[in-house]
Amino acid sequence: MARKPEPTISAVLIVKDEEEYLARCLESVRWVDEIVVYDTGSTDRTVEIARQFTDTVIEGYWNDDFGDARNRALAHATSEWVLIVDADETFEANPRALRKHLAAGKANFFTVTVSTRVAAAGVAHVPVVSVRLFRKADGRYTGALHEQVVPRPEVSMSLRPLPGAAIRHSGYSEGPEAMAVRLRRNLEIAEREVASAEAGSGGTAGLALRQANLARTLSAVGRTEEALALAEQVYREGDLPDEATELFASTMVLTAAHTRDFELARTWARRLRGVLGNPVWADSLLVDIAALEGSAELTLDLLECVPTTVVDHRGRQFRRLDRAGHELWALHRLGRIGEAHGVARRAALAGVVPGHPAQLLEWLGADGVRQMVALLPDDAWQLLGVLCTHAPASPAAHQVLSLMAQARPDDLTPVLCARRLVFASDLAGLEEAASWSARMRTVGLDEHCPLVTIAVGIEVPAAQRARAAALALFAYGDSRALPPLETALAQIAPEDQAELAAQLDVLAPGLVQHA
């Protein structure tokens, strides 16, 4: 008897400018039969990285329609099943068990829980259950924003959770300019979708869903009063399905809390509780509200009321450690630093980055951060490095990367992230710049030498440029530093020349006389 062939799977992505995350994502799905990467116009190394993992890289286009882009990508998949992941996500599952489950034929659409790794104070996170694996012939996408998988005409949807599978989302950690561009784009799409629904496309449920998407986007761009007013209208009209109300209400909890209307925030938390199979998500949002109110005692009391771990009927896992950012903030405010260090260590072991660089240093101090980063698993370790690159105006980013480099001297992540930061006089002292220069040169990144970066910095004071250039020349013989050294020396006021000459003689004995 012939053995039944195993189900084939294509991992399908749409991407744009994802060089920071893409390799980790593709590595997590390398076991599939085919990887399809549809690029919508990247200007960085995204396409180059994708080609290292697959030959099926399509240089496509973007038309402000996520659903359409997903469908164009799906058209290039040749396997029986398609697995949908985003570039800033990693997929976790046992490939053999997954294929066995698909072969059992119990469903044609499967949901996967999507969880975010970063848990910073003031940022709510409820894991999302999303259709991410389905039979290609049976499904397609609809919706220009917050696109959804739907069955094709004449196909019945049999939907089940995919056991043993999870998606880890790195969180939106792009810089403020990139974030602003993304949000403006989403707002334009959301407004267009509502206008289309109001013209008669999609019925009342379709209109309610698009209005809810618009309310969430208005909140994200800071138009909170409009967002809350529209949200109230959508909720009272009652046309939004429960599964969509869940994410919508979660967003409105924090929207209200950020406007300091904490009573309205609690009202939305009660509404959320009404559509949940397990109240733990609503209860955890009460923790977020308390943190935003600035009540450390209440935050800790509410955390004590939520369980350590819960898996609900939809397969989503709740972990109290995903609120570690709130706990660290509260413990720090109450002066319970030893307890904060313990929470940070437990969070790190669980793969949770419990805050951004400046927060971690404030709550834990340098010693606490050093202990915490040493315990991070690889994916969370890399995520923290990326978060540092998005805080270039903060000395905390340099300090956390330095602590990471001390914790793992042979790991390239801190060095690769540090090279993206601007080493200006107000951000990095000469000693710190010299330390990073040595690390980068050790791994062959001479061209990114921070000392040379400071030496050629137009906005850096001339004396600081001269000191950095002299050190680069003396320590490394880097000829790139000679022209900026000469330029800087020519700009020093006569009354300051003797003092600078003495400093340079200490840093680079005999160099200036020969320059």
Side-chain angles (χ1 to χ4, degrees), residues 121-362:
V123 179
H125 169 59
V126 175
V128 176
V129 174
S130 176
V131 177
R132 293 302 192 96
L133 183 64
F134 57 93
R135 201 182 300 274
K136 183 195 172 187
D138 292 355
R140 63 181 181 86
Y141 276 91
T142 183
L145 183 66
H146 303 305
E147 66 279 12
Q148 301 289 321
V149 177
V150 296
R152 295 180 183 275
E154 310 303 325
V155 171
S156 297
M157 175 182 271
S158 175
L159 182 65
R160 292 194 177 191
L162 186 63
I167 288 176
R168 305 298 181 191
H169 177 229
S170 295
Y172 293 119
S173 56
E174 69 255 58
E177 292 184 5
M179 176 74 81
V181 170
R182 180 172 62 83
L183 293 177
R184 284 197 300 271
R185 175 205 66 194
N186 287 356
L187 181 59
E188 292 171 0
I189 296 173
E191 290 174 334
R192 188 172 64 245
E193 286 280 278
V194 168
S196 174
E198 289 175 339
S201 171
T204 57
L207 174 59
L209 181 59
R210 294 175 184 182
Q211 287 175 324
N213 288 341
L214 176 57
R216 290 168 55 199
T217 309
L218 286 169
S219 172
V221 300
R223 291 163 58 176
T224 52
E225 291 186 7
E226 295 173 72
L228 289 167
L230 180 56
E232 198 67 27
Q233 174 189 331
V234 171
Y235 181 79
R236 295 196 180 282
E237 288 177 353
D239 294 319
L240 195 65
D242 282 356
E243 59 269 20
T245 299
E246 184 176 323
L247 182 58
F248 172 57
S250 299
T251 302
M252 291 307 124
V253 169
L254 276 198
T255 302
H258 279 296
T259 66
R260 312 299 295 176
D261 191 340
F262 298 114
E263 187 52 43
L264 179 58
R266 292 186 177 93
T267 296
W268 275 107
R270 289 193 293 272
R271 291 169 174 174
L272 175 63
R273 179 185 281 263
V275 298
L276 288 169
N278 189 310
V280 67
W281 308 113
D283 293 344
S284 65
L285 286 174
L286 295 176
V287 177
D288 299 323
I289 297 170
L292 287 168
E293 280 186 291
S295 176
E297 295 88 348
L298 181 58
T299 298
L300 294 178
D301 288 345
L302 290 171
L303 276 169
E304 286 300 315
C305 295
V306 296
T308 302
T309 305
V310 169
V311 178
D312 69 10
H313 69 290
R314 300 175 70 184
R316 295 177 301 180
Q317 183 185 39
F318 170 86
R319 300 183 305 174
R320 195 165 77 186
L321 280 174
D322 286 326
R323 290 298 192 280
H326 294 315
E327 194 165 3
L328 291 181
W329 163 80
L331 290 169
H332 170 264
R333 173 165 284 199
L334 296 174
R336 296 157 60 178
I337 306 304
E339 292 176 67
H341 285 188
V343 171
R345 289 193 294 269
R346 291 194 295 275
L349 289 169
V352 174
V353 179
H356 291 269
Q359 292 173 319
L360 294 174
L361 284 170
E362 178 186 357

